[in-house]
Amino acid sequence: MAVRPIMRSDHEALNRLHREVGWPERSPAGWRWLESNPARQDLDAPAGWVVADDDDQPAAMLGNFIQRFQHGARSLYGATGFSIIVPPSRKGASRPLIRAFLKQPGLFARYTFNANARSAPLYGLFGLKPWPEQTHALKLSWTTDRPACVQGRVLRALLGRVSAETAARLGERLMNPRVFGRRILDLPAGVTVLRDLSDASAYGDFWSRLAKEDRLLADRSPETLRWRLSDPDLTLPPIMLTCVRGGAVVALAMAQITKTSLIEPPCLDIVDLIALETDQDALPLLTRALIVNARGLGAAKVRLPMTTPRLLTALGDLAQTGRREGGWGHCHAIVDDPALADAWAPTPFDGDYGICSRNPPSPVVRRRSAVTAASRGRAAKA
């Protein structure tokens, strides 16, 4: 099968592939934003690869998200594969796509932290190992709106796996009007909302201190966060909380309202949770603040979609109160240098959660979808 890099002219066809599996599509501006990733441009890496049909149109795809890392004075690069979409008619296309992803040069690691249960068994065939070894299959969640979660489970039981066609007929379910309401947060002493991402900000000082520690960290510089937050397809900005001690930022939590599918209630996904070595006790403080405020934000639960032994230790008793989710190996990696693997304790920020999560549709989009669904219904009866 012929594999080639993604081109800008492929974007509509890539959306078609996403639509066929019910995954969130990107606007033209959203695809261009992904292409503008500064780390990708550093390496001149492809935005991904496609298996093309006889007309050179994408028939299967794999996205390529490059991230810059800091390890002391060294700058390194890693890549996470995302949106592997292979229709049944292209069975076997995942193999050349994954090989193209693994062969790219200039990387210390190639990985995915967001594999679904269906794709997870693939990765071992290509030398990717379940990693971190102790927690590669563990997600944590804390329920904040039990009735909404029950409704979601009932819908899943009634409908099973919803096809893209069924999704178009059903429209969005279990949306909470508070999701797009005014955000009023009840925060403990020492926890504040992060609003200033300028280079000379208190957050900028935090990143400078963090980057000097003896561990491998994904780039969280103000510049990188400004780029992340400029995603034109975000329907809501993330919640960004910092712990401030002695006038200095010592820890960060970033959480995004997501909606896994149209039959799931909104969820507050923790996409980053990081603290200075001297202030690891700030991590459960920030996590509790998110849990306390989640229901008021319209979220039925708070979810930590990937974990590490280091993070579980830092969360302490709070980790024990979380519901164990996952159950399959969603984290797989090849790390070329074992010493770097030992120095790396990734958070969801290191994966594709910040760029691939399904955003809750805005009220305007929901109204348009309802009109479209009603039109389809009338056409079907005619």
Side-chain angles (χ1 to χ4, degrees), residues 233-258:
D233 289 333
L234 280 176
T235 57
L236 284 166
I239 306 291
M240 301 180 71
L241 301 181
T242 58
C243 180
V244 178
R245 292 172 176 169
V249 173
V250 299
L252 167 74
M254 185 190 310
Q256 182 71 43
I257 295 282
T258 66

Side-chain angles (χ1 to χ4, degrees), residues 103-380:
K103 278 169 39 180
Q104 58 183 322
L107 304 172
F108 83 92
R110 302 143 188 88
Y111 56 94
T112 177
F113 295 149
N114 194 14
N116 58 39
R118 179 174 294 185
S119 67
L122 272 175
Y123 296 102
L125 303 176
F126 300 92
L128 286 97
K129 306 292 187 185
W131 187 82
E133 184 177 349
Q134 305 95 318
T135 58
H136 66 94
L138 177 63
K139 302 172 186 274
L140 289 176
S141 69
W142 296 268
T143 299
T144 56
D145 187 344
R146 195 167 300 280
C149 289
V150 169
Q151 290 179 62
R153 286 196 293 271
V154 170
L155 272 180
R156 287 198 304 274
L158 290 174
L159 299 174
R161 190 169 182 269
V162 179
S163 68
E165 294 80 5
T166 302
R169 290 196 302 271
L170 282 173
E172 200 71 42
R173 303 286 168 163
L174 300 183
M175 269 301 297
N176 189 318
R178 289 197 294 268
V179 165
F180 286 93
R182 187 181 175 193
R183 290 181 168 180
I184 302 175
L185 303 180
D186 178 16
L187 300 177
V191 174
T192 64
V193 175
L194 175 59
R195 304 187 192 279
D196 185 358
L197 283 173
S198 62
D199 292 344
S201 64
Y203 176 79
D205 290 340
F206 166 67
W207 167 246
S208 295
R209 295 171 66 193
L210 195 65
K212 291 175 183 174
E213 295 187 341
D214 186 23
R215 47 179 164 157
L216 178 65
L217 295 164
D219 181 4
R220 294 167 171 84
S221 64
E223 177 189 14
T224 293
L225 288 195
R226 291 195 299 267
W227 177 77
R228 284 275 191 123
L229 297 180
S230 70
D231 180 354
D233 289 333
L234 280 176
T235 57
L236 284 166
I239 306 291
M240 301 180 71
L241 301 181
T242 58
C243 180
V244 178
R245 292 172 176 169
V249 173
V250 299
L252 167 74
M254 185 190 310
Q256 182 71 43
I257 295 282
T258 66
K259 204 165 182 295
T260 307
S261 74
L262 81 165
I263 59 172
E264 296 279 356
C267 172
L268 187 61
D269 273 343
I270 300 175
V271 295
D272 200 12
L273 193 58
I274 192 82
L276 297 174
E277 292 280 18
T278 53
D279 294 270
Q280 293 292 297
D281 61 312
L283 297 179
L285 176 69
L286 292 172
T287 304
R288 286 193 182 92
L290 292 171
I291 294 169
V292 165
N293 286 280
R295 183 171 182 133
L297 294 168
K301 64 179 177 180
V302 174
R303 180 170 51 203
L304 183 58
M306 75 161 292
T307 58
T308 64
R310 176 190 178 92
L311 186 52
L312 292 179
T313 298
L315 290 176
D317 292 343
L318 188 59
Q320 302 306 313
T321 66
R323 180 172 177 265
R324 264 58 180 163
E325 294 191 359
W328 66 90
H330 55 276
C331 298
H332 304 262
I334 292 176
V335 184
D336 294 335
D337 183 345
L340 291 177
D342 291 341
W344 189 21
T347 79
F349 184 87
D350 302 43
D352 65 1
Y353 291 99
I355 64 165
C356 285
S357 297
R358 187 173 184 269
N359 291 301
S362 68
V364 171
V365 171
R366 292 202 303 276
R367 286 195 292 271
R368 288 175 182 165
S369 299
V371 170
T372 302
S375 300
R376 287 197 184 103
R378 288 193 295 270

